[in-house]
Amino acid sequence: MAGEKIMMGLDIGSSWVRAVIGTVARDGTVMIDSICERPSEGVRGGAIVNIEQTLKTITSVITEAQLQAGADVQQIIIGVGGNHIEGIPSQGVVGINAKDQEIKREDIYRSLEVARAFELPLEREILHTLVQDFRVDGRDGIKDPIDMLGHRLESRVLVVTASSSICQNERKCIQRAGFQVQRLVAQQLADAEAVLSVEEKEMGTILINIGGGITNMIVYANGAPVFTGGVNLGGNHVTSDIAYILN
């Protein structure tokens, strides 16, 4: 139908590689067209350790998902997680230049740019800038300052960063498979968008996703993310420990 968009998401996990294709309607609702999974090869602790093995699995999963959906999708959204994901609190302060002191969307963008403008190690890259709230002339807890009047706008954000080498290896696999990477998304954020309600985020929630080789976590308070991260321990380690004790 007119206005609809077909998208593909890919999760390269330690135990499974999963692909999902969905149709996004103009109102933002998503209809799932296909889901495909294969046992993961060449991935350990959420990171690719063997390009060729991972490439073979990725190609198989994507091809099957496209056949099931009857769609040819060239751009892919990749989920990344593990202990290399880190959320860094930051702030950005700007002055309001308009004569009437009315805050515009451009002022918000400027404050977010300032919040992101800190020195990162060469091996890190920014995935997301997640807004927590704003402060206008010292007034805290403002969620949407557009059209408010003030002289000083401050944004409080959580800047989510990841290992550049891990991200580049995932991009390389997708490109060698003949596809393009639309963007990388922190799995912690994707998990939260999938399972948490607005009320749960406002109330305060710790969301933990225990995978085969990694465990991802994100914390919400007052409707905004305040922490995210992960550890390279998962269900496979629990199973291995239980088997060791029983034997």
Side-chain angles (χ1 to χ4, degrees):
M1 294 177 62
E4 292 185 339
K5 184 177 181 180
I6 299 177
M7 304 179 71
M8 178 186 293
L10 185 68
D11 176 16
I12 306 174
S14 302
S15 299
W16 296 90
V17 174
R18 295 183 173 96
V20 57
I21 295 178
T23 302
V24 184
R26 284 183 293 181
D27 61 359
T29 57
V30 180
M31 177 68 71
I32 301 301
D33 299 317
S34 69
I35 299 175
C36 184
E37 63 180 16
R38 294 282 188 276
S40 184
E41 295 184 46
V43 181
R44 184 179 302 130
I48 295 173
V49 296
N50 187 308
I51 293 286
E52 294 301 326
Q53 288 182 344
T54 306
L55 176 61
K56 181 179 178 180
T57 306
I58 286 175
T59 303
S60 174
V61 168
I62 293 176
T63 301
E64 180 62 26
Q66 289 185 327
L67 287 174
Q68 291 181 11
D72 182 17
V73 184
Q74 292 300 311
Q75 292 191 329
I76 300 173
I77 300 171
I78 307 176
V80 292
N83 67 349
H84 69 102
I85 300 295
E86 180 183 2
I88 304 173
S90 184
Q91 298 178 343
V93 181
V94 296
I96 306 304
N97 299 323
K99 291 183 178 180
D100 58 3
Q101 302 301 311
E102 187 173 288
I103 298 172
K104 303 296 184 182
R105 192 171 302 276
E106 291 75 16
D107 298 313
I108 293 178
Y109 291 154
R110 287 195 299 120
S111 72
L112 296 180
E113 285 297 326
V114 173
R116 284 193 292 262
F118 57 87
E119 186 174 353
L120 270 179
L122 293 177
E123 70 274 10
R124 306 292 296 177
E125 65 177 78
I126 294 177
L127 295 183
H128 309 285
T129 303
L130 307 177
V131 175
Q132 296 173 334
D133 61 13
F134 297 92
R135 176 184 295 176
V136 178
D137 291 347
R139 290 170 289 171
D140 292 321
I142 298 172
K143 295 297 184 181
D144 185 2
I146 291 180
D147 295 336
M148 295 182 66
L149 302 181
H151 295 83
R152 172 187 167 103
L153 173 66
E154 179 179 342
S155 60
R156 294 199 311 142
V157 303
L158 186 70
V159 180
V160 181
T161 69
S163 164
S164 293
S165 60
I166 291 177
C167 293
Q168 289 294 354
N169 283 332
E170 298 204 358
R171 292 188 182 101
K172 182 177 181 179
C173 274
I174 297 301
Q175 291 165 357
R176 287 187 57 181
F179 300 92
Q180 298 176 348
V181 177
Q182 182 174 342
R183 65 177 301 186
L184 299 180
V185 175
Q187 290 177 347
Q188 294 89 333
L189 182 61
D191 292 341
E193 292 301 309
V195 304
L196 293 183
S197 65
V198 174
E199 292 76 15
E200 288 169 331
K201 293 178 182 179
E202 287 289 344
M203 181 176 56
T205 302
I206 300 175
L207 177 62
I208 300 174
N209 183 351
I210 303 176
I214 62 175
T215 297
N216 293 315
M217 180 172 67
I218 188 167
V219 181
Y220 277 81
N222 298 320
V226 296
F227 172 84
T228 188
V231 294
N232 286 356
L233 294 171
N236 292 342
H237 299 85
V238 176
T239 302
S240 177
D241 289 347
I242 293 174
Y244 176 80
I245 293 173
L246 293 179
N247 289 333

